Amino acid sequence: MAAVTETESVEKKKNRLMNSSEEEVAVEKPPVINPMSEDDSAGAAIPVGNSLSDQVMAAAISETGETEESEKKNLRLMSSDGKEVVVEAAVAMKSQLIRQMIEADCAGGSDVINIPNVTAAALSLIFRYCEKHLVDGDGDKAITDDLKSFDEDFISVDLDTLYDLLMGSNYLDVKGLLDLACQKVADLIKGKSPDEIRRIFNIEKDFSPEEEEEVNKENKWAFE
Amino acid sequence: MAGQGGCCEIQRLPEECLCQAISMTTPRDACTSEAVSASFRAAATSDDVWRRFLPPDYAEILSRAVDPVESDSMKQLYSNLCDPILIDGGKMSFCVDRETGGKCFMVPARELYIVWGETPHYWTWRHHPESRFMRDYTAVDEIVWDKLIS
């Protein structure tokens, strides 16, 4: 069972602070899962095997109540730029890709999961979103409003970061974040002329005059 | 936010992401997006985008059409449905609002229940030459609107 060392806790906090662009919002801690301890004081009858999958699944689905901070299960991910990112299992499994990899035990016996398409910076940001969204609004207006406010601030980023979030959430299959990022791009497109859209996204026009005329003719009503 | 990002960085987005973003705009925005670039055009004309602009139950409504609606793509289907079609054996017509994708149903006057509708003192039925409905008649004369029930 991997314990969270003091260094790792500090490291996690550092990552969060480095990527935080606004005041830290008090986040309700996710349910802290207690993998089975030797004296079975937690009372759960969930067998913990040796594979990463067994350990993480036990950690993710156990409801044995509170435990010490140091006993939360962490995952280690290797980013596309060769950096190791440590994240709580419950947070990481908001990614359907990671969840499926864990369930299918695709770590291949290793404790490190390779994420070849996403940088460490993007991973940290994505997991920050996931951690915040561990708490489901589910009819509670105060939580829903808080999440909405968080999302608005979270997605107010430069275009490069927006693309990283979009591609990262698409690859990792984090639906809520993908929808949020796509909506941001959509809001940049809405009500704009083609020239304005090109200016915003720094796109070069690659139509011939004939192609452009064909497009305008097909969509005449939209340009009226 | 305007003008940020490297040149053509948006081109590195997978087409499905651009499709999803465009599908979250409006039909008008999708059409203007086509004129941005070749990759925008490919995304903006995709079936994925225009299927989302159509009403969710478009297939069920089409199954009720008097005449089949032929289309090569979802975009063409959307455009075709912006002109009314007869459904339910001609008892109703249906079309899609071009700007919003909203459903528009038109009911012939004869399908309305009108209080005192058969009382010639208040209502008479006359055939309108431009009516789309086979047996439609336009109710005229003195009308008591607050009694009109559909």
Side-chain angles (χ1 to χ4, degrees):
Chain A
M1 168 172 77
V4 176
T5 63
E6 188 58 37
T7 309
E8 284 174 336
S9 290
V10 167
E11 194 59 41
K12 261 197 313 190
K13 278 182 192 164
K14 265 194 200 163
N15 279 337
R16 243 181 274 153
L17 283 170
M18 275 167 61
N19 289 309
S20 169
S21 59
E22 71 273 359
E23 204 177 295
E24 282 282 343
V25 175
V27 175
E28 184 184 338
K29 289 282 181 199
V32 181
I33 306 301
N34 179 19
M36 182 179 267
S37 56
E38 283 187 16
D39 63 0
D40 199 13
S41 57
I46 300 171
V48 177
N50 288 329
S51 75
L52 178 65
S53 172
D54 287 336
Q55 290 178 56
V56 170
M57 288 311 293
I61 66 177
S62 168
E63 290 180 358
T64 52
E66 298 296 318
T67 186
E68 295 297 323
E69 172 85 22
S70 59
E71 290 187 46
K72 273 185 293 190
K73 176 64 189 176
N74 281 351
L75 293 180
R76 293 159 62 204
L77 309 176
M78 184 59 67
S79 69
S80 63
D81 46 350
K83 294 177 187 166
E84 190 172 290
V85 175
V86 179
V87 61
E88 288 176 30
V91 173
M93 286 176 61
K94 290 286 282 184
S95 152
Q96 293 306 308
L97 177 74
I98 292 176
R99 174 176 281 269
Q100 283 162 18
M101 287 170 78
I102 295 296
E103 286 173 356
D105 204 10
C106 289
S110 160
D111 277 343
V112 179
I113 301 172
N114 281 318
I115 306 291
N117 288 11
V118 191
T119 64
L123 279 174
S124 294
L125 266 182
I126 290 167
F127 290 136
R128 185 161 166 259
Y129 171 91
C130 293
E131 185 180 24
K132 182 70 179 178
H133 280 261
L134 274 179
V135 179
D136 205 350
D138 209 21
D140 186 320
K141 192 175 183 302
I143 295 177
T144 310
D145 287 347
D146 178 52
L147 287 175
K148 195 175 166 201
S149 174
F150 170 86
D151 286 355
E152 281 171 12
D153 290 338
F154 182 84
I155 209 66
S156 297
V157 292
D158 59 78
L159 272 182
D160 280 336
T161 307
L162 182 59
Y163 299 148
D164 287 340
L165 286 175
L166 227 171
M167 293 196 296
S169 59
N170 184 48
Y171 178 76
L172 291 171
D173 196 0
V174 182
K175 188 179 184 306
L177 180 54
L178 178 61
D179 288 347
L180 183 66
C182 284
Q183 186 63 61
K184 186 70 181 181
V185 174
D187 291 344
L188 292 172
I189 293 173
K190 275 186 198 172
K192 306 286 193 315
S193 69
D195 277 337
E196 286 169 325
I197 295 173
R198 280 190 217 106
R199 260 200 303 279
I200 290 169
F201 294 103
N202 253 322
I203 300 172
E204 286 179 14
K205 190 157 84 171
D206 54 2
F207 283 134
S208 66
E210 293 78 24
E211 283 169 331
E212 194 175 2
E213 195 186 323
E214 187 188 333
V215 168
N216 290 343
K217 198 172 148 192
E218 279 175 14
N219 301 293
K220 199 172 155 202
W221 72 276
F223 295 101
E224 286 162 1
Chain B
M1 170 82 84
Q4 293 182 37
C7 177
C8 304
E9 282 292 320
I10 196 168
Q11 315 279 40
R12 63 184 173 106
L13 288 182
E15 188 175 300
E16 70 249 32
C17 291
L18 194 52
C19 284
Q20 183 171 343
I22 292 174
S23 74
M24 289 173 159
T25 63
T26 65
R28 180 181 287 268
D29 291 317
C31 289
T32 55
S33 293
E34 275 190 52
V36 171
S37 69
S39 54
F40 259 73
R41 188 179 187 191
T45 51
S46 69
D47 280 354
D48 281 342
V49 167
W50 288 93
R51 190 178 293 113
R52 288 188 224 205
F53 288 144
L54 284 164
D57 56 346
Y58 76 91
E60 189 272 331
I61 295 170
L62 280 180
S63 71
R64 294 152 58 188
V66 169
D67 297 313
V69 181
E70 305 281 346
S71 308
D72 289 333
S73 67
M74 286 291 153
K75 186 186 172 190
Q76 192 179 63
L77 176 61
Y78 187 95
S79 180
N80 289 344
L81 289 179
C82 290
D83 294 322
I85 60 168
L86 285 175
I87 62 171
D88 294 346
K91 289 182 191 169
M92 247 195 291
S93 83
F94 166 80
C95 70
V96 157
D97 179 76
R98 192 184 289 275
E99 293 287 348
T100 64
K103 294 186 284 191
C104 306
F105 292 95
M106 190 175 291
V107 181
R110 273 292 186 192
E111 294 296 319
L112 300 176
Y113 170 71
I114 304 172
V115 173
W116 296 329
E118 300 304 321
T119 307
H121 179 70
Y122 296 116
W123 295 90
T124 54
W125 296 97
R126 296 176 196 160
H127 178 68
H128 196 295
E130 289 179 27
S131 170
R132 75 194 70 233
F133 299 106
M134 288 288 291
R135 294 170 51 233
D136 185 36
Y137 296 83
T138 307
V140 293
D141 284 357
E142 188 177 332
I143 296 169
V144 183
W145 285 109
D146 62 347
K147 297 294 184 191
L148 194 68
I149 301 164
S150 63

